[in-house]
Amino acid sequence: MSSPSPVPISGPTGYGLMSLTVRPKPIPYEQAFAAINNAIADGVTFLNGGEFYGINVFNPDPTVEKKPYENLKLIKAYFEKYPENRSKVTVSIKGCLGAKGPDCSPEGVKRSIENIASYFPENKFDLFETGRMDHSVSVEDFIKSVIPFIERGTIKGISLSEVNANTIRRAAAVYPISCVEVELSLWSTDILFNGVMDTCKELGIPVIAYSPLGRGYLTGSIKSVDDLDKADYRRSFDRFASQEAIDANKSIIDNIAKFAKAKNATLAQIALSWVRSFSEYPEKYPTVIPIPSASTAERNHENNTHIKLSKAEFDELTNLVTNQKIYGGRYAAMFEPHLNG
């Protein structure tokens, strides 16, 4: 019997499906389908979604109706309409979110994987990851609970999300990890210094960079709190919670804009090209694949258009952002216990 191996992940860009459904007014299916079709036409082979990426799921108001499975319903409808595209992409889905937080118990893993699989053709999907680690369950036990679903063919492999370097090592010692999804952008560079990037490089694990556009801020389109819908979940995050925060981080937009002007590119293209550029230096970094979201085919195509940065430009931009103080945490204080798990 051959040894298990990770699921191959290819880039240079993936597509994050979260924002198609986690918004006060979800994107119409036909519009979302056009964006996914564009991604595939542009050569994107990695899609990332979530069992709990539904309507109002992150809204703290208990009186607001929450519909958690809208992302899965969208994915199901897409592959029903375009079955020929299922074999063209690797789909990674986050799950294991219970009523009171992450649930990585054997029962929680079983419930989540089987529920997610029910939305896919033949009740099978590619990669499973817990959205956040469950502090009551060791990562070793979580991985062991997932392995039987690989052995029976329900999934092909395991990914990790929002984890620290030690967790990655411990998980990889139990079973090959196909990729690690962590936040990386021009205003969220933690993984360059906390050991996550170095560990993934050492173990040969690709990094999936979520929120590579700073949840939209790095596009330069969010200049005011009022640019966000009052029900937008981002308003609860430190960097979007006040006009003071939005204004305080404007200098990073100014820095990106200088490169964008020189390259005749958009701010988003520069921000994404910086993330992709790590893969150009395999002697130092692991493969890094950004997964920007986009609500239209046009925006998706813009995101997939790589702008070549020279080594000098990459280093200059890296030095600018890593030495720049960012106002506010990546999330908000209430989310801190579930970060870097």
Side-chain angles (χ1 to χ4, degrees):
M1 183 176 178
S2 60
S3 300
S5 58
V7 175
I9 307 295
S10 60
T13 308
Y15 184 24
L17 306 178
M18 174 178 163
S19 75
L20 295 175
T21 53
V22 178
R23 53 175 64 215
K25 297 178 182 179
I27 301 300
Y29 273 17
E30 289 306 313
Q31 183 179 325
F33 291 174
I36 298 171
N37 282 340
N38 179 84
I40 294 174
D42 281 352
V44 169
T45 60
F46 184 83
L47 304 182
N48 182 279
E51 180 183 26
F52 45 83
Y53 285 167
I55 300 172
N56 289 319
V57 290
F58 301 132
N59 191 321
D61 187 346
T63 66
V64 174
E65 181 184 10
K66 296 173 173 60
K67 300 179 179 179
Y69 301 140
E70 296 305 303
N71 206 242
L72 293 178
K73 291 177 182 178
L74 170 67
I75 293 169
K76 176 181 173 66
Y78 177 78
F79 286 125
E80 286 178 345
K81 185 166 185 178
Y82 301 99
E84 68 278 11
N85 286 344
R86 179 65 190 94
S87 62
K88 298 177 182 178
V89 291
T90 296
V91 185
S92 181
I93 304 291
K94 286 180 286 297
C96 280
L97 182 65
K100 297 181 179 180
D103 179 7
C104 294
S105 66
E107 297 78 16
V109 168
K110 181 177 187 297
R111 181 211 60 77
S112 191
I113 292 179
E114 290 181 348
N115 179 55
I116 294 168
S118 71
Y119 288 87
F120 280 82
E122 300 180 351
N123 293 318
K124 299 176 181 179
F125 64 107
D126 303 308
L127 291 174
F128 176 74
E129 57 186 287
T130 176
R132 296 290 185 269
M133 295 307 302
D134 180 347
H135 297 312
S136 68
V137 178
S138 72
V139 66
E140 291 86 355
D141 286 344
F142 164 67
I143 298 295
K144 290 174 183 177
S145 294
V146 177
I147 291 173
F149 294 92
I150 299 175
E151 294 173 341
R152 69 186 63 161
T154 306
I155 61 175
K156 295 179 180 178
I158 305 171
S159 176
L160 298 174
S161 177
E162 194 57 51
V163 287
N164 61 47
N166 183 51
T167 297
I168 296 169
R169 288 185 184 281
R170 289 168 56 193
V174 179
Y175 196 88
I177 302 301
S178 295
C179 55
V180 171
E181 182 185 347
V182 282
E183 186 168 2
L184 175 64
S185 73
L186 284 168
W187 78 347
S188 294
T189 59
D190 299 16
I191 71 165
L192 303 182
F193 307 102
N194 64 14
V196 167
M197 188 76 99
D198 291 340
T199 299
C200 287
K201 160 66 177 147
E202 179 186 338
L203 300 178
I205 301 173
V207 167
I208 303 301
Y210 80 80
S211 296
L213 293 175
R215 298 176 179 83
Y217 186 81
L218 300 179
T219 67
S221 62
I222 301 174
K223 298 179 175 64
S224 166
V225 173
D226 294 332
D227 289 333
L228 302 176
D229 188 284
K230 293 188 183 303
D232 194 310
Y233 72 95
R234 288 174 291 182
R235 280 178 174 257
S236 66
F237 290 9
D238 289 353
R239 298 176 186 178
F240 298 95
S242 68
Q243 191 61 44
E244 178 186 10
I246 289 175
D247 291 342
N249 290 319
K250 184 178 180 299
S251 59
I252 193 170
I253 297 297
D254 295 338
N255 283 330
I256 300 170
K258 294 175 185 176
F259 284 83
K261 183 177 181 180
K263 293 286 190 179
N264 193 28
T266 66
L267 273 70
Q269 288 174 330
I270 294 299
L272 290 169
S273 293
W274 177 79
V275 175
R276 292 187 197 100
S277 293
F278 285 95
S279 297
E280 297 178 13
Y281 307 102
E283 69 283 357
K284 186 174 182 180
Y285 302 111
T287 296
V288 179
I289 302 171
I291 49 169
S293 195
S295 60
T296 66
E298 293 76 18
R299 187 68 71 192
N300 179 267
H301 182 66
E302 175 190 331
N303 289 345
N304 296 334
T305 303
H306 183 59
I307 306 300
K308 173 66 177 177
L309 299 176
S310 69
K311 181 63 164 58
E313 290 168 333
F314 173 69
D315 288 343
E316 181 183 354
L317 196 47
T318 301
N319 288 332
L320 277 173
V321 298
T322 55
N323 290 311
Q324 182 167 319
K325 182 174 177 56
I326 300 298
Y327 183 101
R330 292 194 291 125
Y331 285 76
M334 71 179 76
F335 297 103
E336 288 295 330
H338 298 297
L339 303 181
N340 303 309

